């Protein structure tokens, strides 16, 4: 058996090194960290600023700019602001503030020691309605007021040689207005169709991944004083306790460790990756949203795949269960963990049951309706009787406390054992439906949901407002593979059909991608029936 483990580790080195390198690149990348779009003052925008995050002490490469691009119908692609900050040095606290002096001084605002402040003067300001905010590099000079999308095809014109490094959009009408830089991964993060878009946006301090909508929280600002750093309602659904503006300083507020985990995210960018396991040869194939294509031989015919973030590095690990033995290839340190846990007849249900950020080994035993978990440390075992023979285990965080709850689906009824909100039963679905719990409304709580093969409809009971949503997306025979494929913090309806993925992305729209073979097991479906 040791020979197999060493073989797995050796074969895994190349792909894990590639993932580690990608994470290092992401960590060194310039990120849009914070932006105050609409200060409280009704007479000027003196306190408006944009904050960039990067490696402390690093010199920004030439032709690096912050741009705000108009996404409104009358002025598609016009640059409201272009701020070239190439050659500037990131402050020792990891921030660089871009401050527009055209509005005058922001009284009583001071920037902390270790901040680099870059003053510029532009009459055009950000915050004109629907807008995309980006950090870019370009091969030709960019100018404020120029049209970066002359033919209005919703793409940045190639003659500028623009490479998008990070950013997001705030759109009033996402169905008709473009996200510039979408091809690079930028997404719309607004959850309102009001013309009054958020006053300010802040990146979570513990999220250093570009193009991830869930990396940001936002809201209005307090009515006074002009230099306020206090947010006010309405706030984004993921707004953290203590969230505030921190001009020139590292952000405050962390992504809840459990909410920060995206299913089947093998490159740590906050988006679900197209991925399959081919049991005929034991190879995992990946079409990763940031790190690209890859493959690794880890497993053999008859293995049950049990992916999860077992080492808490925000990347899913390849893992299989063979009989009673679990084999986990840890992406963080290239080691293989081998552990005997459960019976071969048990159903694997690994998840984060203690909210420490890493996936816990766990099984559901149908014969006695008992859940067995191995939480950190490894010898902290637990057993809870909840369910019965024939139940479909559907673990998820249904009460939003950061801990996975025990749950089962039984002939159209959901039984939940919530760690904070207690036990409840909900009738939702038919016996023939497939349970597909996920966070479809982006409120940090998994929604009760089913996929009905007979008509291809997805039905979800949204936890944000207790309303029922129905979407037709799929057909009989499809394998449901819900996940957050566009990184906006909301899970998307998706199906796997004979080697083709059909995605209904909540921000980026519908997409079909051929990846895999009809006999493959799609990884995002690992714990669904």
């Amino acid at each position: 058996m040791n020979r197999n483990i060493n073989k797995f580790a050796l074969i895994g080195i190349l792909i894990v090194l590639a993932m580690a390198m990608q994470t290092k690149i992401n960590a060194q990348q310039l990120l849009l960290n914070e932006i105050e779009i609409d200060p409280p003052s009704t007479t000027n925008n003196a306190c408006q600023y944009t904050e960039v995050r990067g490696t402390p002490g690093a010199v920004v490469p030439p032709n690096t700019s912050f741009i705000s691009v108009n996404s409104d119908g009358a002025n598609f692609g016009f640059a409201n602001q272009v701020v070239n900050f190439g050659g500037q040095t990131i402050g020792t606290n990891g921030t660089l503030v871009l401050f527009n002096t055209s509005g005058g001084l922001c009284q009583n605002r001071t920037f902390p020691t270790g901040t680099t402040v870059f003053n510029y003067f532009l009459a055009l300001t950000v915050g004109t309605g629907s807008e995309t905010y980006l950090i870019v590099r370009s091969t030709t000079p960019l100018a404020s007021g120029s049209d970066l999308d002359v033919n209005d095809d919703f793409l940045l014109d190639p003659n500028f040689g623009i490479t998008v490094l990070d950013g997001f959009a705030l759109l009033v009408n996402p169905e008709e207005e473009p996200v510039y830089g979408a091809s690079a991964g930028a997404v719309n993060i607004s959850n309102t169709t009001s013309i009054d878009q958020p006053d300010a946006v802040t990146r979570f301090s513990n999220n250093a991944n570009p193009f991830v909508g869930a990396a940001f929280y936002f809201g209005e600002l307090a009515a006074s004083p002009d230099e306020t750093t206090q947010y006010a309602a309405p706030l984004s659904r993921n707004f953290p306790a203590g969230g505030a503006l921190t001009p020139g300083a590292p952000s405050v507020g962390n992504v809840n460790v459990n909410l920060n985990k995206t299913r089947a995210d093998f490159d740590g960018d906050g988006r679900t990756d197209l991925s399959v396991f081919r049991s005929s040869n034991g190879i995992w194939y990946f079409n990763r949203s940031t790190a690209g294509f890859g493959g690794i031989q880890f497993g053999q015919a008859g293995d049950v795949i049990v992916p999860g973030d077992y080492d808490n590095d925000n990347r899913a690990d390849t893992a299989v269960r063979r009989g009673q033995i679990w084999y986990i290839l840890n992406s963080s340190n290239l080691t293989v963990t081998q552990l005997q846990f459960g019976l071969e007849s048990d159903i694997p249900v690994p998840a984060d049951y203690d909210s420490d950020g890493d996936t816990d080994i766990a099984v559901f035993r149908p014969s006695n309706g008992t859940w067995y978990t191995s939480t950190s440390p490894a010898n902290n075992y637990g057993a809870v009787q909840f369910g019965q023979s024939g139940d479909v285990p559907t673990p998820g965080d249904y009460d939003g406390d950061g801990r996975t709850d025990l749950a089962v689906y039984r002939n159209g009824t959901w039984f939940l054992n919530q760690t904070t909100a207690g036990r409840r039963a909900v009738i939702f679905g038919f016996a023939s439906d497939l349970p597909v719990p996920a966070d479809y409304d982006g409120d940090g709580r998994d929604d009760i949901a089913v996929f009905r093969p007979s008509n291809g409809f997805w039905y979800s009971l949204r936890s944000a407002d207790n309303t029922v949503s129905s979407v037709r997306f799929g057909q009989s025979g499809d394998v449901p593979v819900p996940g957050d494929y566009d990184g906006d913090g909301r899970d998307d309806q998706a199906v796997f059909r004979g080697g083709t993925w059909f995605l209904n992305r909540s921000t980026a729209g519908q997409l079909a991608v051929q990846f895999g073979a009809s006999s493959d097991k799609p990884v995002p479906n690992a714990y669904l029936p």
Side-chain angles (χ1 to χ4, degrees), residues 216-243:
F216 299 95
Y217 62 89
F218 53 83
E220 297 298 293
L221 292 177
S224 65
D226 288 355
E227 72 278 4
T228 186
T229 58
Q230 300 302 309
Y231 276 99
L235 302 169
S236 61
R237 290 184 291 252
N238 62 344
F239 197 88

PDB file of all heavy atoms in Angstrom, residues 216-243:
ATOM      1  N   PHE A 216     -16.024  40.518  -1.919  1.00  0.00           N
ATOM      2  CA  PHE A 216     -16.346  41.894  -1.562  1.00  0.00           C
ATOM      3  C   PHE A 216     -17.631  41.991  -0.755  1.00  0.00           C
ATOM      4  O   PHE A 216     -18.549  41.200  -0.917  1.00  0.00           O
ATOM      5  CB  PHE A 216     -16.505  42.743  -2.829  1.00  0.00           C
ATOM      6  CG  PHE A 216     -15.277  42.812  -3.689  1.00  0.00           C
ATOM      7  CD1 PHE A 216     -15.119  41.939  -4.756  1.00  0.00           C
ATOM      8  CD2 PHE A 216     -14.280  43.741  -3.434  1.00  0.00           C
ATOM      9  CE1 PHE A 216     -13.990  41.995  -5.561  1.00  0.00           C
ATOM     10  CE2 PHE A 216     -13.147  43.805  -4.229  1.00  0.00           C
ATOM     11  CZ  PHE A 216     -13.001  42.934  -5.290  1.00  0.00           C
ATOM     12  N   TYR A 217     -17.686  43.007   0.120  1.00  0.00           N
ATOM     13  CA  TYR A 217     -18.938  43.415   0.735  1.00  0.00           C
ATOM     14  C   TYR A 217     -19.136  44.899   0.477  1.00  0.00           C
ATOM     15  O   TYR A 217     -18.181  45.617   0.136  1.00  0.00           O
ATOM     16  CB  TYR A 217     -18.972  43.102   2.234  1.00  0.00           C
ATOM     17  CG  TYR A 217     -17.936  43.789   3.095  1.00  0.00           C
ATOM     18  CD1 TYR A 217     -18.185  45.037   3.672  1.00  0.00           C
ATOM     19  CD2 TYR A 217     -16.716  43.177   3.399  1.00  0.00           C
ATOM     20  CE1 TYR A 217     -17.258  45.650   4.498  1.00  0.00           C
ATOM     21  CE2 TYR A 217     -15.778  43.781   4.225  1.00  0.00           C
ATOM     22  CZ  TYR A 217     -16.058  45.021   4.765  1.00  0.00           C
ATOM     23  OH  TYR A 217     -15.138  45.638   5.582  1.00  0.00           O
ATOM     24  N   PHE A 218     -20.359  45.402   0.606  1.00  0.00           N
ATOM     25  CA  PHE A 218     -20.624  46.786   0.223  1.00  0.00           C
ATOM     26  C   PHE A 218     -21.876  47.309   0.901  1.00  0.00           C
ATOM     27  O   PHE A 218     -22.607  46.563   1.577  1.00  0.00           O
ATOM     28  CB  PHE A 218     -20.752  46.911  -1.300  1.00  0.00           C
ATOM     29  CG  PHE A 218     -21.753  45.973  -1.927  1.00  0.00           C
ATOM     30  CD1 PHE A 218     -23.107  46.268  -1.956  1.00  0.00           C
ATOM     31  CD2 PHE A 218     -21.327  44.778  -2.498  1.00  0.00           C
ATOM     32  CE1 PHE A 218     -24.022  45.406  -2.532  1.00  0.00           C
ATOM     33  CE2 PHE A 218     -22.234  43.897  -3.078  1.00  0.00           C
ATOM     34  CZ  PHE A 218     -23.593  44.216  -3.097  1.00  0.00           C
ATOM     35  N   GLY A 219     -22.138  48.594   0.711  1.00  0.00           N
ATOM     36  CA  GLY A 219     -23.338  49.199   1.270  1.00  0.00           C
ATOM     37  C   GLY A 219     -23.339  50.705   1.066  1.00  0.00           C
ATOM     38  O   GLY A 219     -22.488  51.268   0.366  1.00  0.00           O
ATOM     39  N   GLU A 220     -24.317  51.371   1.673  1.00  0.00           N
ATOM     40  CA  GLU A 220     -24.344  52.830   1.716  1.00  0.00           C
ATOM     41  C   GLU A 220     -23.371  53.304   2.784  1.00  0.00           C
ATOM     42  O   GLU A 220     -22.807  52.507   3.542  1.00  0.00           O
ATOM     43  CB  GLU A 220     -25.761  53.312   2.033  1.00  0.00           C
ATOM     44  CG  GLU A 220     -26.792  52.930   0.981  1.00  0.00           C
ATOM     45  CD  GLU A 220     -26.500  53.547  -0.367  1.00  0.00           C
ATOM     46  OE1 GLU A 220     -26.578  54.785  -0.494  1.00  0.00           O
ATOM     47  OE2 GLU A 220     -26.157  52.792  -1.308  1.00  0.00           O
ATOM     48  N   LEU A 221     -23.163  54.625   2.847  1.00  0.00           N
ATOM     49  CA  LEU A 221     -22.321  55.200   3.886  1.00  0.00           C
ATOM     50  C   LEU A 221     -23.169  56.065   4.811  1.00  0.00           C
ATOM     51  O   LEU A 221     -24.221  56.588   4.413  1.00  0.00           O
ATOM     52  CB  LEU A 221     -21.199  56.039   3.274  1.00  0.00           C
ATOM     53  CG  LEU A 221     -20.136  55.264   2.488  1.00  0.00           C
ATOM     54  CD1 LEU A 221     -19.136  56.230   1.868  1.00  0.00           C
ATOM     55  CD2 LEU A 221     -19.408  54.266   3.395  1.00  0.00           C
ATOM     56  N   ALA A 222     -22.708  56.222   6.035  1.00  0.00           N
ATOM     57  CA  ALA A 222     -23.397  57.085   6.989  1.00  0.00           C
ATOM     58  C   ALA A 222     -23.526  58.490   6.413  1.00  0.00           C
ATOM     59  O   ALA A 222     -22.697  58.933   5.607  1.00  0.00           O
ATOM     60  CB  ALA A 222     -22.646  57.112   8.314  1.00  0.00           C
ATOM     61  N   ALA A 223     -24.570  59.203   6.804  1.00  0.00           N
ATOM     62  CA  ALA A 223     -24.885  60.514   6.215  1.00  0.00           C
ATOM     63  C   ALA A 223     -23.847  61.580   6.508  1.00  0.00           C
ATOM     64  O   ALA A 223     -23.722  62.553   5.763  1.00  0.00           O
ATOM     65  CB  ALA A 223     -26.253  60.972   6.704  1.00  0.00           C
ATOM     66  N   SER A 224     -23.085  61.419   7.564  1.00  0.00           N
ATOM     67  CA  SER A 224     -22.061  62.397   7.925  1.00  0.00           C
ATOM     68  C   SER A 224     -21.079  61.732   8.887  1.00  0.00           C
ATOM     69  O   SER A 224     -21.380  60.695   9.486  1.00  0.00           O
ATOM     70  CB  SER A 224     -22.709  63.628   8.579  1.00  0.00           C
ATOM     71  OG  SER A 224     -23.311  63.249   9.813  1.00  0.00           O
ATOM     72  N   PRO A 225     -19.872  62.310   9.065  1.00  0.00           N
ATOM     73  CA  PRO A 225     -19.326  63.469   8.341  1.00  0.00           C
ATOM     74  C   PRO A 225     -18.825  63.069   6.956  1.00  0.00           C
ATOM     75  O   PRO A 225     -18.930  61.889   6.592  1.00  0.00           O
ATOM     76  CB  PRO A 225     -18.172  63.898   9.246  1.00  0.00           C
ATOM     77  CG  PRO A 225     -17.710  62.602   9.868  1.00  0.00           C
ATOM     78  CD  PRO A 225     -18.959  61.811  10.096  1.00  0.00           C
ATOM     79  N   ASP A 226     -18.282  64.034   6.230  1.00  0.00           N
ATOM     80  CA  ASP A 226     -17.833  63.732   4.867  1.00  0.00           C
ATOM     81  C   ASP A 226     -16.807  62.610   4.835  1.00  0.00           C
ATOM     82  O   ASP A 226     -16.755  61.833   3.879  1.00  0.00           O
ATOM     83  CB  ASP A 226     -17.237  64.982   4.215  1.00  0.00           C
ATOM     84  CG  ASP A 226     -18.291  66.008   3.853  1.00  0.00           C
ATOM     85  OD1 ASP A 226     -19.491  65.702   4.019  1.00  0.00           O
ATOM     86  OD2 ASP A 226     -17.912  67.117   3.412  1.00  0.00           O
ATOM     87  N   GLU A 227     -15.964  62.534   5.852  1.00  0.00           N
ATOM     88  CA  GLU A 227     -14.878  61.549   5.862  1.00  0.00           C
ATOM     89  C   GLU A 227     -15.268  60.257   6.583  1.00  0.00           C
ATOM     90  O   GLU A 227     -14.416  59.456   6.962  1.00  0.00           O
ATOM     91  CB  GLU A 227     -13.629  62.140   6.523  1.00  0.00           C
ATOM     92  CG  GLU A 227     -13.712  62.319   8.037  1.00  0.00           C
ATOM     93  CD  GLU A 227     -14.434  63.589   8.459  1.00  0.00           C
ATOM     94  OE1 GLU A 227     -14.943  64.314   7.564  1.00  0.00           O
ATOM     95  OE2 GLU A 227     -14.483  63.859   9.667  1.00  0.00           O
ATOM     96  N   THR A 228     -16.559  60.026   6.745  1.00  0.00           N
ATOM     97  CA  THR A 228     -17.004  58.841   7.485  1.00  0.00           C
ATOM     98  C   THR A 228     -16.425  57.551   6.929  1.00  0.00           C
ATOM     99  O   THR A 228     -16.160  57.440   5.721  1.00  0.00           O
ATOM    100  CB  THR A 228     -18.548  58.748   7.476  1.00  0.00           C
ATOM    101  OG1 THR A 228     -18.948  57.663   8.309  1.00  0.00           O
ATOM    102  CG2 THR A 228     -19.071  58.501   6.064  1.00  0.00           C
ATOM    103  N   THR A 229     -16.227  56.605   7.816  1.00  0.00           N
ATOM    104  CA  THR A 229     -15.805  55.261   7.405  1.00  0.00           C
ATOM    105  C   THR A 229     -16.862  54.224   7.784  1.00  0.00           C
ATOM    106  O   THR A 229     -16.609  53.023   7.679  1.00  0.00           O
ATOM    107  CB  THR A 229     -14.468  54.883   8.073  1.00  0.00           C
ATOM    108  OG1 THR A 229     -14.619  54.944   9.499  1.00  0.00           O
ATOM    109  CG2 THR A 229     -13.355  55.817   7.626  1.00  0.00           C
ATOM    110  N   GLN A 230     -18.029  54.687   8.199  1.00  0.00           N
ATOM    111  CA  GLN A 230     -19.088  53.796   8.665  1.00  0.00           C
ATOM    112  C   GLN A 230     -20.075  53.473   7.553  1.00  0.00           C
ATOM    113  O   GLN A 230     -20.604  54.375   6.892  1.00  0.00           O
ATOM    114  CB  GLN A 230     -19.830  54.433   9.843  1.00  0.00           C
ATOM    115  CG  GLN A 230     -18.953  54.725  11.036  1.00  0.00           C
ATOM    116  CD  GLN A 230     -18.270  53.475  11.571  1.00  0.00           C
ATOM    117  OE1 GLN A 230     -18.931  52.459  11.825  1.00  0.00           O
ATOM    118  NE2 GLN A 230     -16.950  53.538  11.717  1.00  0.00           N
ATOM    119  N   TYR A 231     -20.302  52.187   7.353  1.00  0.00           N
ATOM    120  CA  TYR A 231     -21.326  51.750   6.408  1.00  0.00           C
ATOM    121  C   TYR A 231     -22.716  51.888   7.028  1.00  0.00           C
ATOM    122  O   TYR A 231     -22.874  51.912   8.263  1.00  0.00           O
ATOM    123  CB  TYR A 231     -21.100  50.293   6.024  1.00  0.00           C
ATOM    124  CG  TYR A 231     -20.093  50.073   4.910  1.00  0.00           C
ATOM    125  CD1 TYR A 231     -18.774  49.697   5.194  1.00  0.00           C
ATOM    126  CD2 TYR A 231     -20.463  50.224   3.580  1.00  0.00           C
ATOM    127  CE1 TYR A 231     -17.861  49.472   4.180  1.00  0.00           C
ATOM    128  CE2 TYR A 231     -19.554  49.993   2.555  1.00  0.00           C
ATOM    129  CZ  TYR A 231     -18.257  49.627   2.867  1.00  0.00           C
ATOM    130  OH  TYR A 231     -17.358  49.415   1.844  1.00  0.00           O
ATOM    131  N   ALA A 232     -23.731  51.985   6.174  1.00  0.00           N
ATOM    132  CA  ALA A 232     -25.114  52.061   6.619  1.00  0.00           C
ATOM    133  C   ALA A 232     -25.985  51.229   5.683  1.00  0.00           C
ATOM    134  O   ALA A 232     -25.606  50.939   4.546  1.00  0.00           O
ATOM    135  CB  ALA A 232     -25.595  53.511   6.641  1.00  0.00           C
ATOM    136  N   ALA A 233     -27.164  50.862   6.140  1.00  0.00           N
ATOM    137  CA  ALA A 233     -28.080  50.058   5.330  1.00  0.00           C
ATOM    138  C   ALA A 233     -28.569  50.852   4.115  1.00  0.00           C
ATOM    139  O   ALA A 233     -28.649  52.089   4.172  1.00  0.00           O
ATOM    140  CB  ALA A 233     -29.267  49.625   6.185  1.00  0.00           C
ATOM    141  N   PRO A 234     -28.879  50.160   3.004  1.00  0.00           N
ATOM    142  CA  PRO A 234     -28.843  48.700   2.847  1.00  0.00           C
ATOM    143  C   PRO A 234     -27.429  48.174   2.623  1.00  0.00           C
ATOM    144  O   PRO A 234     -26.619  48.822   1.943  1.00  0.00           O
ATOM    145  CB  PRO A 234     -29.717  48.468   1.615  1.00  0.00           C
ATOM    146  CG  PRO A 234     -29.591  49.730   0.814  1.00  0.00           C
ATOM    147  CD  PRO A 234     -29.466  50.835   1.812  1.00  0.00           C
ATOM    148  N   LEU A 235     -27.166  47.022   3.186  1.00  0.00           N
ATOM    149  CA  LEU A 235     -25.853  46.392   3.121  1.00  0.00           C
ATOM    150  C   LEU A 235     -25.910  45.134   2.259  1.00  0.00           C
ATOM    151  O   LEU A 235     -26.985  44.569   2.044  1.00  0.00           O
ATOM    152  CB  LEU A 235     -25.385  46.015   4.531  1.00  0.00           C
ATOM    153  CG  LEU A 235     -25.296  47.151   5.551  1.00  0.00           C
ATOM    154  CD1 LEU A 235     -25.077  46.573   6.948  1.00  0.00           C
ATOM    155  CD2 LEU A 235     -24.194  48.136   5.192  1.00  0.00           C
ATOM    156  N   SER A 236     -24.761  44.708   1.767  1.00  0.00           N
ATOM    157  CA  SER A 236     -24.722  43.456   1.008  1.00  0.00           C
ATOM    158  C   SER A 236     -25.080  42.295   1.927  1.00  0.00           C
ATOM    159  O   SER A 236     -24.913  42.365   3.152  1.00  0.00           O
ATOM    160  CB  SER A 236     -23.324  43.246   0.404  1.00  0.00           C
ATOM    161  OG  SER A 236     -22.334  43.170   1.414  1.00  0.00           O
ATOM    162  N   ARG A 237     -25.563  41.208   1.340  1.00  0.00           N
ATOM    163  CA  ARG A 237     -26.025  40.077   2.131  1.00  0.00           C
ATOM    164  C   ARG A 237     -24.903  39.429   2.936  1.00  0.00           C
ATOM    165  O   ARG A 237     -25.146  38.780   3.940  1.00  0.00           O
ATOM    166  CB  ARG A 237     -26.679  39.048   1.211  1.00  0.00           C
ATOM    167  CG  ARG A 237     -28.000  39.500   0.622  1.00  0.00           C
ATOM    168  CD  ARG A 237     -28.649  38.390  -0.195  1.00  0.00           C
ATOM    169  NE  ARG A 237     -27.935  38.097  -1.416  1.00  0.00           N
ATOM    170  CZ  ARG A 237     -28.381  38.414  -2.633  1.00  0.00           C
ATOM    171  NH1 ARG A 237     -29.514  39.051  -2.782  1.00  0.00           N
ATOM    172  NH2 ARG A 237     -27.686  38.100  -3.695  1.00  0.00           N
ATOM    173  N   ASN A 238     -23.657  39.595   2.475  1.00  0.00           N
ATOM    174  CA  ASN A 238     -22.533  38.959   3.153  1.00  0.00           C
ATOM    175  C   ASN A 238     -21.786  39.928   4.059  1.00  0.00           C
ATOM    176  O   ASN A 238     -20.640  39.682   4.429  1.00  0.00           O
ATOM    177  CB  ASN A 238     -21.559  38.378   2.120  1.00  0.00           C
ATOM    178  CG  ASN A 238     -20.947  39.450   1.222  1.00  0.00           C
ATOM    179  OD1 ASN A 238     -21.446  40.581   1.152  1.00  0.00           O
ATOM    180  ND2 ASN A 238     -19.884  39.114   0.515  1.00  0.00           N
ATOM    181  N   PHE A 239     -22.419  41.059   4.426  1.00  0.00           N
ATOM    182  CA  PHE A 239     -21.734  42.087   5.199  1.00  0.00           C
ATOM    183  C   PHE A 239     -21.282  41.514   6.542  1.00  0.00           C
ATOM    184  O   PHE A 239     -22.072  40.939   7.288  1.00  0.00           O
ATOM    185  CB  PHE A 239     -22.651  43.290   5.427  1.00  0.00           C
ATOM    186  CG  PHE A 239     -21.915  44.531   5.850  1.00  0.00           C
ATOM    187  CD1 PHE A 239     -21.412  45.402   4.909  1.00  0.00           C
ATOM    188  CD2 PHE A 239     -21.731  44.816   7.195  1.00  0.00           C
ATOM    189  CE1 PHE A 239     -20.731  46.547   5.290  1.00  0.00           C
ATOM    190  CE2 PHE A 239     -21.042  45.951   7.594  1.00  0.00           C
ATOM    191  CZ  PHE A 239     -20.538  46.821   6.640  1.00  0.00           C
ATOM    192  N   PRO A 240     -19.990  41.694   6.882  1.00  0.00           N
ATOM    193  CA  PRO A 240     -19.463  41.077   8.101  1.00  0.00           C
ATOM    194  C   PRO A 240     -19.644  41.964   9.326  1.00  0.00           C
ATOM    195  O   PRO A 240     -19.787  43.187   9.216  1.00  0.00           O
ATOM    196  CB  PRO A 240     -17.973  40.931   7.776  1.00  0.00           C
ATOM    197  CG  PRO A 240     -17.675  42.131   6.927  1.00  0.00           C
ATOM    198  CD  PRO A 240     -18.929  42.353   6.090  1.00  0.00           C
ATOM    199  N   ALA A 241     -19.615  41.357  10.500  1.00  0.00           N
ATOM    200  CA  ALA A 241     -19.624  42.115  11.742  1.00  0.00           C
ATOM    201  C   ALA A 241     -18.375  42.991  11.790  1.00  0.00           C
ATOM    202  O   ALA A 241     -17.264  42.526  11.537  1.00  0.00           O
ATOM    203  CB  ALA A 241     -19.656  41.174  12.937  1.00  0.00           C
ATOM    204  N   GLY A 242     -18.552  44.277  12.072  1.00  0.00           N
ATOM    205  CA  GLY A 242     -17.421  45.189  12.148  1.00  0.00           C
ATOM    206  C   GLY A 242     -16.944  45.719  10.816  1.00  0.00           C
ATOM    207  O   GLY A 242     -15.919  46.412  10.753  1.00  0.00           O
ATOM    208  N   GLY A 243     -17.660  45.420   9.735  1.00  0.00           N
ATOM    209  CA  GLY A 243     -17.246  45.901   8.418  1.00  0.00           C
ATOM    210  C   GLY A 243     -17.210  47.415   8.369  1.00  0.00           C
ATOM    211  O   GLY A 243     -18.098  48.094   8.891  1.00  0.00           O
TER     212      GLY A 243
END
